[in-house]
Amino acid sequence: MEAYVLNETALILMASRLATTQNNLNDFFIVISAILVFAMQAGFSLMETGLVRSKNATNILMKSTLDAFIGATVYWLVGYAFAYGDGNEFIGWTGFALQGVSPNKISFWFYQTIFANTASTIVSGATAERINLPAFFIYAFLLTGFLHPVASRWVWHPSGWLKVRGVIDFGGGGCVHMLGGVSALVACLMVGPRIGRYDNKTMKKFAYRGHSNTLTGVGAFLLMMGIMGYNMSAQMDLSHPGDGVAVSVSAVNTLLAGSAGSIVATILGRATPTGSYRWSYNTMLNGAIAGMVSSCAACNAMPFWGAYVTGAGAGFLFFVLRAVINHLHVDDPLDAFAVHFGGGFSGMVSAPLLINTGVILVGDVRSAEVLGWQLVGVVVLIAWGIGFCSLVFGSLKYFKILRVDSCVEVQGMDSKKHGEPAYPAESWEEQQYWDHQAQRLVYSLSSEKLNAAVHGQKELDSIATIDLGVNNNFRLTGMPPQMNFAHLMLTDHFQKSLLSLENQHTGWNFITRKY
């Protein structure tokens, strides 16, 4: 009898320890995954910075960084309560500032906070180069504190009114990306295009190129890495049978969807006049992100071919939406609406069709009901985003705090608003080019070599020819020809050399281009 009691006690103890280990493992998985998703903030920062003009780079970096900190503050104060507090199927009303929230839920709060930040960050990119910073503070607080939390309760909370009716949104394709894309479109319409971007009289469009494809590319890779973490971690568990497989399937489907989106968008850019018949790097990147976004809705439950089809549809929809809003003179420097709304919409619509229990593979009454409610959910989320953001951005516009003054916009916000240009002129010291490159060039074209070069020619060439020779030699040595200091020094050196030689030889024609 005592042995039996001891064995039972040992089993209870082992079960308790196993449960503790499982809980710790799940908490660790959620926190580490959230940190991986946090890389999206770095991705947004770099990608947005690369796609705007250099005069606004610091402004973009500041807003992208503040998105994370404002988001953490407001989600701690009110957002989590609206999304996951005790309440009804539409909104929660307990747990403000995490009061009364179980310590076991802290990892979940951390994870959801990182998700919530994305909605505001999407808008920041779409309104880049003309949004006023006080307006940014206001909409970041409202979008992260109310717009997204309420929508996420509808589709993620166990008692959410869309969740209980079967709406599918595993990783936030609807309540994060599609909703963020709608918000970005409304914000762009309210704030208007950048000065000089469109000519409304002639309907002509002027390209405003971003200043660094390098930053854009690195940022896109970080963003894609974050989306993979997004979808993998949405399983929220690693301690039950099948969890590891679900995480792996989510990762693979995300990659496949991104691959399809990038290939479709790239081919469309090369094959159509909309893409200027070019192999566009930025189009390829945005197609890949749109494809990955499309997988968010049901990456855990789709066959691999279904994820690829979904991503291909997202790449196509992104390309079409970008062309449409550009034709309508809606200025979105990052194509945030086309990428996030196009990808999110594609994923939300295809999820009930292509999942393993969906309309195409099963085709029963239940799958048809899910499809119907899924379409209802899509319409509801779009309407929620349009209505709320129209009120927020319309109010900001009415009170004239939405957009910076035209003089600030033209001169750039880095110097006018922050006093910290990302590329200050004083840091570009042209002497470094003279010290390290130009003296070697001058030595190679010394008086003796000039003498040999010009001997026997008919006339002394003009200063323009000397300038052309200097520019050509700049290119040979890798120096930018517009470097004024080094350019003037070299020109002055050549002029003096030629004048000294003119006293010895007459009728020369110096051709510097051969050097």
Side-chain angles (χ1 to χ4, degrees), residues 153-393:
R153 184 180 187 87
W154 297 346
V155 297
W156 282 343
H157 193 276
S159 64
W161 74 278
L162 291 176
K163 174 75 172 180
V164 298
R165 288 164 176 81
V167 171
I168 303 168
D169 192 9
F170 179 70
C175 67
V176 176
H177 293 284
M178 192 178 72
L179 186 63
V182 169
S183 304
L185 178 62
V186 174
C188 286
L189 290 171
M190 290 293 180
V191 75
R194 290 167 289 178
I195 295 174
R197 179 70 172 88
Y198 303 107
D199 189 331
N200 291 324
K201 292 182 179 179
T202 64
M203 299 302 289
K204 187 175 182 180
K205 308 173 185 66
F206 299 93
Y208 279 0
R209 296 185 183 276
H211 80 280
S212 175
N213 268 353
T214 303
L215 291 178
T216 301
V218 174
F221 270 107
L222 286 171
L223 193 54
M224 288 185 276
M225 183 177 72
I227 295 174
M228 286 194 214
Y230 225 100
N231 289 344
M232 291 165 50
S233 57
Q235 183 68 18
M236 301 298 294
D237 206 323
L238 274 183
S239 59
H240 295 91
D243 287 340
V245 172
V247 169
S248 302
V249 169
S250 297
V252 171
N253 279 340
T254 305
L255 180 60
L256 290 176
S259 301
S262 68
I263 292 171
V264 169
T266 302
I267 292 175
L268 288 173
R270 180 64 179 86
T272 64
T274 302
S276 303
Y277 301 107
R278 292 176 178 172
W279 301 106
S280 171
Y281 179 58
N282 288 329
T283 298
M284 182 272 292
L285 290 177
N286 280 331
I289 295 171
M292 287 191 171
V293 166
S294 72
S295 71
C296 292
C299 58
N300 65 319
M302 274 190 178
F304 299 134
W305 62 266
Y308 203 85
V309 170
T310 300
F316 175 80
L317 189 57
F318 146 71
F319 194 83
V320 171
L321 289 176
R322 183 181 67 172
V324 169
I325 67 167
N326 191 35
H327 177 73
L328 296 175
H329 288 191
V330 178
D331 188 13
D332 183 353
L334 269 78
D335 298 324
F337 167 72
V339 170
H340 294 278
F341 177 83
F345 180 85
S346 176
M348 290 292 287
V349 172
S350 65
L353 297 173
L354 299 177
I355 59 174
N356 296 318
T357 58
V359 173
I360 291 178
L361 293 179
V362 175
D364 58 4
V365 175
R366 175 56 184 164
S367 64
E369 291 177 353
V370 170
L371 174 61
W373 277 109
Q374 189 80 0
L375 296 178
V376 170
V378 168
V379 173
V380 166
L381 290 174
I382 293 174
W384 171 241
I386 292 176
F388 187 84
C389 290
S390 295
L391 178 62
V392 171
F393 291 101

Side-chain angles (χ1 to χ4, degrees), residues 102-124:
S102 170
N104 295 329
K105 294 290 186 180
I106 299 303
S107 62
F108 182 73
W109 174 89
F110 180 70
Y111 178 81
Q112 291 297 333
T113 299
I114 306 302
F115 266 61
N117 289 341
T118 305
S120 175
T121 308
I122 293 171
V123 177
S124 298

Side-chain angles (χ1 to χ4, degrees), residues 387-409:
F388 187 84
C389 290
S390 295
L391 178 62
V392 171
F393 291 101
S395 299
L396 292 172
K397 184 176 182 178
Y398 177 80
F399 290 107
K400 302 186 185 304
I401 57 176
L402 181 60
R403 184 167 180 150
V404 297
D405 294 335
S406 57
C407 62
V408 175
E409 183 178 344

Side-chain angles (χ1 to χ4, degrees), residues 9-24:
T9 303
L11 288 174
I12 294 173
L13 182 60
M14 289 177 61
S16 175
R17 289 179 176 176
L18 178 60
T20 300
T21 302
Q22 289 178 327
N23 291 334
N24 290 340

